[in-house]
Amino acid sequence: MNRNNMPEKRTAIYFIDTTNENNYDIIDNSEIISYVQNKQLVAEIWRSGDIAMKDSEKMAGIIKNKNIQRIVIAGDSPGIHKSFFARAMKLAGNMAEDVVLAGFREHNIIKSSDIDFAKAIVYCAINNVDYIKATQPTTSSVNPETLIIGGGIAGVQASLEIADAGNKVYLVERTATIGGYMATFDKTFPTLDCAACILTPKMGEVGQHANIDMMTYSEVKNISGTPGNYKATILKKAKFVNPYTCIGCGTCSEKCPVKVKSEFDSGTTMRKSVYIPFPQAVPNKYVIDADTCTYILKQKCGVCAKVCPVPDCINYEEKDEEIEITVGNIIVATGYKPFDAARDERYGYGKYPNVLTSLEFERMVNASGSTGGNIYFRTQDKKGNWLLQPDGENPKSVALIHCVGSRDENFNKYCSKVCCMYSLKLAHLIVEKLPNTKVYEYYIDIRAFGKGYEEFYKRIDEEGVNIIRGRTAKVDEKDGKLHLRGEDIIGGNLIEQEIDMVVLAVGLEARDDAKKLADMLGISQSDDGWFVEADYISDPTATLNGGISIAGVCQGPKDIPDTVAQASATASRVIQSIMQGKINNNRKDISLSDIEQNILKLS
Amino acid sequence: MIERVDANLVTEFEKFGKSNWNDCFHCGNCTGACPLTEQHFLFPRKSYNEIQMGLKDSLASSIEPWLCYYCGDCSEKCPRDANPAETMMILRRYLTSVYDWTGLSKKFYTSHWWEYIAILFIGAIVTLLLGVINPNGIVTELNSNGGVKINEMFPVHWVHIGDTIMALTIGILLVSNLFRMWYFVILRDKSVKIPISAYIKGVKELAIHFATQKRFNKCDDKKYWGAHWILMTAYSTMLVIIIFFLPWFQTEDINAWYHPQRLFGYYATFGLFLGLIYFFIGRIKKERQMFKYSHLSDWLFIILLFLSTLTGILLHIFRLSGLAAETYYMYIIHMAILVPMLVIEVPFSKWSHLAYRPFTVYFSLLKKSALIKKNTKN
């Protein structure tokens, strides 16, 4: 075999064996070994015990002795071992690029039934052919209806594009309104456009679109079927308020005696048990929160039903309902959850009231948010809850700490990509609202990577914000004042600063139930929990499963423009399949022999 | 100042201990977390910069590693797992070898064999002197108290002359290394000028730090400071006795238990044992950050000290119970462990910190006051 006129490379395969004390149903490496050992190119097979991952010079000696030109690392999380082998390869005079990974868990290869998929992945790695190129899926006919999971900006954008092309869309959203996190933001970087001005018209359009069946307060329970013909079970949680007759007057909420922390305001304000998340919510219909409503829990109260001007609009007897729909394509746009700042004890979040997360601060600077756009200290209400309330004092100094929970071996190793820019944006908003307040940004590196971003950074710098290199190490409280300690790396100073307010730039994390959804759809997750795309560079919105696309942050941290772009990309993929009337089948279903032949053809 | 970059510094560094120098991405977390760092002396991050850039001269003149007492707060929360606390420890080994003009320190730190052979070699010389060349053999006759006539086997004035020569050698080596440290840290740094009056004023602090190691107390764990202080005072008591007062200490008469000779001896023995047990348990359990990584020099330090103490105790018991032959051999073994330990550890290896630590505090105070003065002038 002589691919691309390159000499064929003698290949060694290193298998990462997993201990299986509890006898789980896992992949048996010896089965893969018996498949690959007689294949061309395969010169050596090592297993976990055979190689001591310590001395790369010794390893280089082995590579030289056995005349190995390529190394395949096969198993779960092979990337961990890559640097060791790459170094050894370099020392032995080979190229580090010839260390090829064959990740199992990364491709959702978990159980023994995935063995053929595992063999295919290893075989592709031996020949250094992308799995995507070696697999050409067959096609099936497609149901023209589409399911979109998640009603954030990605879901909204994709819904509109597909629906505008004349196709039916089911948009499933877990909370009582669509809009997602973008609806909570005040401004967007780098243009400082008002987030709501961009989003709410789109939300309204979704709410009124004839082709969009919007299901808020609902969850996807189960998905079965094949590409082009999926069956989805949707759980519509009981709203207890009839959405067809509710006129959105708000009398029920006004009179409701139960107060709970508002999810929409990141817990900085109180909402009632019967509520709409925010005034511009779509649909603008009230729901009753069954976990806190005293009538539903203990049959006490019932005030909302009494004051409601529409007869029979409130029905406490309403039950959850499950419906089943059939769709051809599914777009996953489930987004993220912000890093829980209390996990990083250094900064005293949860202990000191005036250490806020960026999302809490975002709600405060938002003109329609907790304090009506004023920047105040957190204060206690009568019941002792620490809230952001619409009166109080302005802080004289605010510090923004970057990379909280990101780029940190103790939490998330990756960069969350958006925190630098939104922190700069928040700094701008503080300067704009409180010109006499000193603002400090403590960063590790400023990652202003996009169009107009570097200019935005420069602009904020010129606005007089103190941008200091050196992420703060800790925040303490002494005599009721916050104290911050860190290093000013460029200035060469130790920073021991008294500060009024600290804002933590929390990173993005995969949602807790992302795994559940991934299993339901048969798609894979990376080590960090993000959904895995078919090909990072050339096919970033598709998955290995036909008809299932991913858009937005659920695929990896990204900002709003990138999310919108991906949403449009998935929409175009869906529209393409509907227009052609056919859809790719799952790549996993392609037989091993077909893959081998494809690789031969590529050679 | 123009400084030459040494691209091989990292490779050279690796010989002194393992750590991932390149992992640090300079977020400053370690400096902020350190309870000991202060304006003008920022660490540990700054040292990472010097290592990564290969700034050999800057490293040689940095005293920051000696200001660190390894509480491990920096390593616990390091976002890159770069382990700054251990890097500071490795830097202290490296700096010891930089100050040492003989080059032996580097050999001992970077090669196991050098260290082992040196110990055996000096131990052999001691055995030769005491057991072969020494004209007096075992004297079985006991004195009136029933004790062994140790001074007839090993005449105390001869031993005293020997240990004075040893002490002078060690002292000269250590002082010359200390002088080199002063040259690197103070003299070569042209940015500050320190008047002689400042040196005199600082002596008091030097003495206090030498006696109490009070910087330790800024770290959170007070137990560690206590164990170290007991070990240090016990060790110093013994050192002073055997170097300056050997004729008073090595006697044939058995004194009453409350005689200062015995009381001092017992305190030293008790303190050494208590301290050593604490360090042994710590290094085996590896729970505290500072005990997680043990270099050969760390182990040899406590093992040799432990063996010296143990043989010392046995020697004492044998002498009191009139076991002449046992006393004779134990004396030789005791000396064959004690002498190489002092000769190797004090000027060249881990024990040199007894001089570098307090002098670092002294130098840092001098530098700081000079820098503050300079800044206020500007």
Side-chain angles (χ1 to χ4, degrees), chain A residues 87 344-347 407-410 443-445 469-474 485-489 492-495, chain B residues 14 25-40 42 45-46 73 76-81:
Chain A
R87 197 168 165 204
D344 194 347
E345 288 160 4
R346 280 175 281 195
Y347 303 124
R407 301 183 76 197
D408 193 328
E409 297 283 325
N410 304 302
Y443 70 95
I444 303 176
D445 299 293
R469 174 150 196 205
R471 182 174 68 164
T472 315
K474 52 184 166 191
R485 199 164 189 274
E487 184 183 4
D488 167 11
I489 290 173
N493 295 310
L494 183 68
I495 291 167
Chain B
E14 261 164 17
F25 65 17
H26 301 277
C27 67
N29 187 67
C30 45
T31 311
C34 177
L36 289 169
T37 199
E38 53 191 319
Q39 187 68 7
H40 307 303
L42 296 171
R45 188 202 58 81
K46 212 182 105 213
D73 284 2
E76 248 162 61
K77 286 285 157 66
C78 174
R80 299 283 291 166
D81 279 346

Side-chain angles (χ1 to χ4, degrees), chain A residues 546-568:
Chain A
I548 297 177
S549 332
I550 46 179
V553 183
C554 67
Q555 180 252 350
K558 58 179 65 66
D559 55 3
I560 293 170
D562 286 0
T563 297
V564 172
Q566 271 203 348
S568 298

Side-chain angles (χ1 to χ4, degrees), chain B residues 106-172:
Chain B
K106 191 179 169 188
K107 292 271 185 258
F108 293 150
Y109 269 134
T110 55
S111 155
H112 291 191
W113 289 112
W114 265 88
E115 185 129 22
Y116 292 138
I117 289 168
I119 291 169
L120 290 175
F121 178 69
I122 298 171
I125 291 178
V126 172
T127 316
L128 197 73
L129 285 173
L130 292 174
V132 182
I133 296 173
N134 179 15
N136 312 329
I138 303 168
V139 180
T140 44
E141 191 191 335
L142 301 179
N143 65 16
S144 52
N145 305 32
V148 177
K149 288 193 167 174
I150 196 162
N151 279 342
E152 284 186 19
M153 295 197 263
F154 307 102
V156 70
H157 58 278
W158 283 115
V159 181
H160 195 40
I161 290 171
D163 88 13
T164 311
I165 293 170
M166 179 197 75
L168 275 175
T169 319
I170 294 175
I172 289 167

Side-chain angles (χ1 to χ4, degrees), chain A residues 154-189:
Chain A
V156 165
Q157 179 76 14
S159 302
L160 285 176
E161 293 203 13
I162 297 168
D164 283 347
N167 306 296
K168 172 89 179 167
V169 172
Y170 296 97
L171 177 61
V172 177
E173 163 63 37
R174 186 206 311 253
T175 66
T177 178
I178 57 169
Y181 278 112
M182 187 180 172
T184 72
F185 299 159
D186 183 30
K187 295 276 161 49
T188 54
F189 59 81

